[in-house]
Amino acid sequence: MKRVTIRIPRPARPLALLGLLGANLLAAPLAQAQNPAPAVLGGAVPAPAPTGPWTLRAAIDYALTHNLGVRQSELTAQQQEATLRLNRAALLPTLGLNGTQGFNFGTNRDPFTNQFQQLNVRSNNFSASGQVTLFSGFQLRNTIKVGQLDAQASRVDIDKARNDLSLNVASSFLQLLLAQELIRASEARMATVQAQVSRSEKLLKAGAVAEGNVLDSRAQLAGEERTLVTAQNQLALAQLALVQQLNLDPAAAGRFEVVVPTLPDPSTLSTTADVPDPTATFEIARQQQPEIKAADLRVASARRNLEVVRGGYYPRLTLAGGISTGFSSVRNQSVRVNGNPIPVPVLQINPAVPGGYSASPYVLLSPQTSFEALPYRFLDQLADNRGEFLQFSLNVPILNGLQTRVGVQRAQVNIQQVELRAEQTRLQLRQTIQQSYADAVAAQRRYAASARQVEALTLSFRNAEIRFNNGLLNGTDFNIARNNLTAAESDMIQAKYEFFFRSKVLDFYQGKPLSL
């Protein structure tokens, strides 16, 4: 998981409070959405955006429905499922029909009589054939297993994309809340400085203070105005970032409102009861987080792919069959034609007649046989020219340039690479959880220290303010006292939101929904 830090330019003092915004807070551990632009999943009609202020839960739900990154993961999963269907179809026989019609001119060979003739020939050939693989070293079935595992991993990747987007939206949402609170603090300080300027001007008219005190107060007011403008700019940027993640009209960024939750004082919370334990959190996340499931599925896929490659060592047996027929325009059909019977007299010896022979009676000889060439009709030729075949093919691999052996070695290396990536994913998850816990504890301690510092600096500033109004303190020392208080207040606010963000990250890895 990559860590992203949203950096805000560090202004010169007394604007140092705004330079602390992006140093620790909003270093989201899962920031792989990369400026996600939303879209509608599955072609559904987009849900209308809420009309009132947004809660964190509503913002996350809306982004999950309209984000292009999630949609891209969905399409990738659909492609993988289509590949799986193609792998399953490889078990089915292949069937095909073929038909041709040709015209030959001049001396041509009759395709059915193999005789050369000086004629124009029109011929047709029709065939149907099919083939099925009976055995291929179980490569087809193992390929289906690989496709199933890859399809499951792609589906799990969708959940990971949704998790990344949820954390990114939560980060932007808290940044917006942080900017709003800094604006409120800046406005409160500005009102105080404005009152100080008015008081100094009155004292100047009364001759109670020097003109330099008034000029220092006005310079301090100008500095607070710049601080307020900078904070307002950061609020506008935070609103725009969140609006873009939600796929809303950027023109509505200025009108984008969120529900400001009531957050408890971090110093009142217990690190053992209110901050999830990192070890227990990792054990839960290891079983639930989609990136771990996807990594394990891809390890299983790589191991199954090794069996696919090893199938190249085995023989391959296929069964094929087909039927074919054809027609030739020059082929004739010989038909036997029988003539009329021929009467032939039978001579018999008869001494009683002159010559000693008599012709009686007549006998009929067989008719004279002849053959006649008649046109060979199209359908008759198709029926008489039909041929069929059935064959088994056995291919035994002996030497194929070491392709199978090298393929097995590459598949074994790929298994090791995938296993290392899976282990790296677990390590990154553990480190992210441990870092979030350490950041949460550190932010809580920093908040408590900053709160005590703010309390002390507030008393010191009030004392400096009284001395300044009475002309007992110069403007430089007074501005230093104010800047110290401003920096302490900024650090306290920043530590507060960092603590809650890190705590929510730990809750998220325990399977709890993100909400404030």
Side-chain angles (χ1 to χ4, degrees):
M1 285 168 269
K2 299 180 180 178
R3 296 174 58 89
V4 61
T5 303
I6 303 176
R7 300 187 180 277
I8 300 176
R10 182 182 181 90
R13 297 175 66 92
L15 305 181
L17 62 128
L18 292 174
L20 301 173
L21 293 178
N24 296 310
L25 181 63
L26 310 176
L30 291 174
Q32 300 177 0
Q34 298 180 356
N35 297 329
V40 181
L41 294 180
V45 178
T51 56
W54 292 73
T55 62
L56 175 59
R57 186 70 257 169
I60 292 176
D61 293 340
Y62 191 87
L64 292 177
T65 310
H66 298 77
N67 183 260
L68 275 183
V70 177
R71 177 59 176 162
Q72 183 65 37
S73 300
E74 176 74 19
L75 294 177
T76 301
Q78 293 179 7
Q79 286 183 340
Q80 195 61 54
E81 290 174 351
T83 302
L84 174 60
R85 291 193 296 269
L86 185 63
N87 294 338
R88 286 173 173 168
L91 292 175
L92 302 176
T94 59
L95 299 174
L97 298 175
N98 183 45
T100 63
Q101 176 168 298
F103 298 91
N104 297 322
F105 306 95
T107 302
N108 298 287
R109 182 179 62 85
D110 191 322
F112 298 100
T113 63
N114 288 325
Q115 296 178 355
F116 287 92
Q117 303 181 22
Q118 188 72 22
L119 295 173
N120 296 334
V121 181
R122 178 179 69 86
S123 62
N124 296 90
N125 291 282
F126 303 98
S127 64
S129 62
Q131 179 176 320
V132 61
T133 301
L134 302 180
F135 181 76
S136 61
F138 306 104
Q139 285 183 317
L140 297 180
R141 295 189 179 276
N142 286 325
T143 301
I144 293 175
K145 293 293 185 180
V146 171
Q148 290 175 339
L149 294 171
D150 290 341
Q152 293 177 15
S154 297
R155 277 294 167 188
V156 175
D157 285 340
I158 299 176
D159 296 332
K160 182 180 184 301
R162 294 169 65 90
N163 287 352
D164 292 347
L165 178 62
S166 299
L167 287 176
N168 283 328
V169 171
S171 175
S172 299
F173 194 92
L174 287 173
Q175 184 181 15
L176 194 150
L177 294 178
L178 175 60
Q180 288 181 343
E181 186 158 346
L182 288 174
I183 287 178
R184 289 192 293 270
S186 180
E187 290 175 343
R189 289 192 300 270
M190 186 173 175
T192 302
V193 175
Q194 183 64 53
Q196 180 67 37
V197 171
S198 300
R199 187 182 307 108
S200 298
E201 290 176 347
K202 294 179 180 178
L203 293 175
L204 177 63
K205 293 180 180 180
V209 296
E211 184 179 4
N213 289 0
V214 178
L215 296 178
D216 290 337
S217 297
R218 291 176 180 175
Q220 185 68 26
L221 178 61
E224 290 296 339
E225 289 176 348
R226 180 184 175 185
T227 301
L228 178 60
V229 170
T230 304
Q232 291 172 344
N233 290 339
Q234 297 303 326
L235 174 61
L237 293 176
Q239 289 175 333
L240 179 60
L242 189 55
V243 164
Q244 289 176 343
Q245 289 177 336
L246 299 179
N247 196 26
L248 298 176
D249 185 3
R255 304 186 303 271
F256 188 81
E257 297 181 359
V258 297
V259 176
V260 180
T262 302
L263 300 178
D265 189 340
S267 60
T268 62
L269 301 178
S270 172
T271 55
T272 57
D274 299 305
V275 180
D277 178 70
T279 302
T281 301
F282 173 73
E283 292 301 323
I284 296 175
R286 185 171 59 86
Q287 301 175 4
Q288 297 181 353
Q289 287 303 303
E291 58 266 33
I292 303 298
K293 296 179 181 179
D296 292 339
L297 287 171
R298 289 188 168 92
V299 170
S301 175
R303 292 172 178 171
R304 181 67 65 171
N305 185 66
L306 175 61
E307 300 302 322
V308 175
V309 180
R310 283 176 174 170
Y313 287 126
Y314 294 89
R316 187 180 184 91
L317 179 63
T318 59
L319 170 64
I323 182 173
S324 62
T325 185
F327 168 81
S328 176
S329 63
V330 299
R331 188 176 183 187
N332 296 323
Q333 185 176 23
S334 298
V335 180
R336 186 175 64 179
V337 180
N338 294 326
N340 295 324
I342 302 175
V344 178
V346 179
L347 298 179
Q348 296 179 348
I349 301 175
N350 188 357
V353 299
Y357 294 94
S358 63
S360 67
Y362 286 90
V363 297
L364 298 177
L365 297 180
S366 299
Q368 185 176 3
T369 302
S370 63
F371 293 89
E372 181 178 357
L374 299 178
Y376 212 149
R377 293 183 299 177
F378 182 81
L379 294 180
D380 292 339
Q381 280 200 46
L382 295 184
D384 295 340
N385 296 334
R386 187 180 65 181
E388 301 169 352
F389 78 94
L390 182 67
Q391 69 180 21
F392 288 90
S393 298
L394 179 63
N395 181 15
V396 180
I398 298 178
L399 182 63
N400 61 352
L402 300 180
Q403 293 184 8
T404 302
R405 182 182 298 274
V406 174
V408 169
Q409 294 174 353
R410 295 176 62 182
Q412 291 173 339
V413 173
N414 182 61
I415 291 176
Q416 297 177 9
Q417 291 177 335
V418 175
E419 289 176 343
L420 285 177
R421 284 196 291 268
E423 187 63 27
Q424 182 67 23
T425 301
R426 291 186 177 86
L427 180 61
Q428 289 178 347
L429 178 62
R430 181 189 295 273
Q431 291 175 348
T432 299
I433 293 175
Q434 291 175 343
Q435 187 65 46
S436 296
Y437 178 82
D439 290 343
V441 173
Q444 186 183 39
R445 294 173 180 174
R446 186 155 54 92
Y447 177 85
S450 297
R452 292 191 295 269
Q453 184 182 22
V454 167
E455 183 178 0
L457 290 176
T458 299
L459 296 176
S460 176
F461 174 74
R462 290 177 181 174
N463 181 54
E465 185 178 20
I466 295 173
R467 295 171 61 194
F468 178 76
N469 292 334
N470 294 326
L472 301 178
L473 185 68
N474 58 48
T476 301
D477 293 338
F478 178 71
N479 289 337
I480 292 175
R482 183 186 297 278
N483 291 339
N484 291 337
L485 177 59
T486 298
E489 290 176 345
S490 173
D491 188 65
M492 183 182 66
I493 296 173
Q494 189 268 344
K496 171 184 175 182
Y497 280 95
E498 182 182 2
F499 169 78
F500 283 107
F501 178 73
R502 297 302 176 184
S503 299
K504 292 302 176 182
V505 169
L506 294 173
D507 289 340
F508 181 79
Y509 283 127
Q510 286 193 334
K512 301 177 183 179
L514 287 172
S515 60
L516 293 175

